[in-house]
Amino acid sequence: MQTIRRTASVPALDQYRALAQDATGDDIISTLNYALTLEHLENTFYATGLSTFVSADIEALGFLPGVFDFIAEIGAHEAAHVETLTSVISDLGGEPVEQGEYDFGDALTDPSVFIATAAALENTGVSAYTGAAQYLIENDDLLTAALTIHGVEARHAAYLNILNGENPFPESFEPVLTPAEVLEIAGPFVVSGEVVVPSASEEDAEDESEDESEDDEGTPD
């Protein structure tokens, strides 16, 4: 039986803290809380699903017994991400966003929908980290630390794509999702709780809105 790691290892947590120790500012904290918002969603999804289904439910879909263990390990990774991001945000003097209340619908009653939803969440998470990289670009160490999570999320997405009969690496370049686009996908799962986006992304949205307004004013009737 495969051993499932349930929490972040001490070296991994210490490494992340060391890389992030010089980070300051609201932009940094809000970006980390944006990541934590998504990790809470994923962590709750797996924790609830893995306590609802058993290996036999997954095997009944035609998968080998080990698939359930691998999904459980994905869940353990998400728990580790939550633990690490929460600790780092606190260490930097910020207030970590708390876990919300979520509704995953049929994903918690139908194992095939559970696996399909897992793939959707992981693929969204990968593109979310890609899109948020710009808000950490001025802090090389913290960007590197965030990429250590991004890479693992990409591995999750590839594996779950295979389980769903889809291409594990469908694009030459990873799609980029803005925080607004991510929330459009993930938002319907959120029943209550704070949803944090990078403060810099809100400024970008305001600038874009102002530019569009100026363009409209300059357009003749």
Side-chain angles (χ1 to χ4, degrees), residues 9-66:
S9 65
V10 173
L13 182 56
D14 287 347
Q15 180 187 40
Y16 206 111
R17 284 172 170 164
L19 288 170
Q21 64 184 350
D22 294 328
T24 57
D26 291 340
D27 286 350
I28 294 295
I29 297 299
S30 65
T31 300
L32 292 177
N33 263 323
Y34 170 59
L36 181 56
T37 297
L38 300 176
E39 296 294 347
H40 274 313
L41 176 66
E42 292 180 324
N43 181 46
T44 304
F45 172 76
Y46 286 108
T48 308
L50 291 167
S51 65
T52 300
F53 302 116
V54 296
S55 184
D57 295 321
I58 305 302
E59 292 172 45
L61 299 175
F63 295 116
L64 296 173

Side-chain angles (χ1 to χ4, degrees), residues 2-221:
Q2 182 180 359
T3 300
I4 305 300
R5 296 185 294 276
R6 295 294 177 187
T7 59
S9 65
V10 173
L13 182 56
D14 287 347
Q15 180 187 40
Y16 206 111
R17 284 172 170 164
L19 288 170
Q21 64 184 350
D22 294 328
T24 57
D26 291 340
D27 286 350
I28 294 295
I29 297 299
S30 65
T31 300
L32 292 177
N33 263 323
Y34 170 59
L36 181 56
T37 297
L38 300 176
E39 296 294 347
H40 274 313
L41 176 66
E42 292 180 324
N43 181 46
T44 304
F45 172 76
Y46 286 108
T48 308
L50 291 167
S51 65
T52 300
F53 302 116
V54 296
S55 184
D57 295 321
I58 305 302
E59 292 172 45
L61 299 175
F63 295 116
L64 296 173
V67 168
F68 183 85
D69 289 340
F70 281 126
I71 295 175
E73 185 152 9
I74 292 175
H77 291 169
E78 304 302 353
H81 295 167
V82 167
E83 177 188 355
T84 299
L85 286 167
T86 298
S87 296
V88 169
I89 291 168
S90 296
D91 288 348
L92 295 177
E95 183 176 348
V97 64
E98 296 183 357
Q99 175 182 315
E101 181 181 350
Y102 313 103
D103 182 359
F104 298 107
D106 291 342
L108 297 182
T109 59
D110 184 335
S112 65
V113 179
F114 173 72
I115 293 177
T117 303
L121 288 176
E122 295 292 346
N123 280 282
T124 299
V126 174
S127 292
Y129 272 96
T130 304
Q134 61 182 305
Y135 306 120
L136 300 175
I137 200 68
E138 294 183 1
N139 189 302
D140 294 343
D141 289 340
L142 192 53
L143 177 59
T144 298
L147 288 175
T148 65
I149 293 181
H150 172 273
V152 173
E153 297 286 346
R155 293 172 186 263
H156 295 169
Y159 179 68
L160 288 162
N161 279 359
I162 291 174
L163 295 185
N164 283 281
E166 299 176 1
N167 190 333
F169 31 78
E171 304 289 344
S172 299
F173 301 95
E174 184 61 39
V176 176
L177 291 179
T178 66
E181 291 169 330
V182 170
L183 294 183
E184 185 175 349
I185 297 170
F189 294 114
V190 181
V191 175
S192 64
E194 185 179 7
V195 176
V196 180
V197 298
S199 57
S201 72
E202 296 178 320
E203 295 171 4
D204 290 345
E206 291 176 1
D207 291 342
E208 183 176 339
S209 178
E210 290 176 1
D211 290 342
E212 290 177 353
S213 178
E214 291 175 359
D215 290 342
D216 290 341
E217 291 176 0
T219 302
D221 295 334

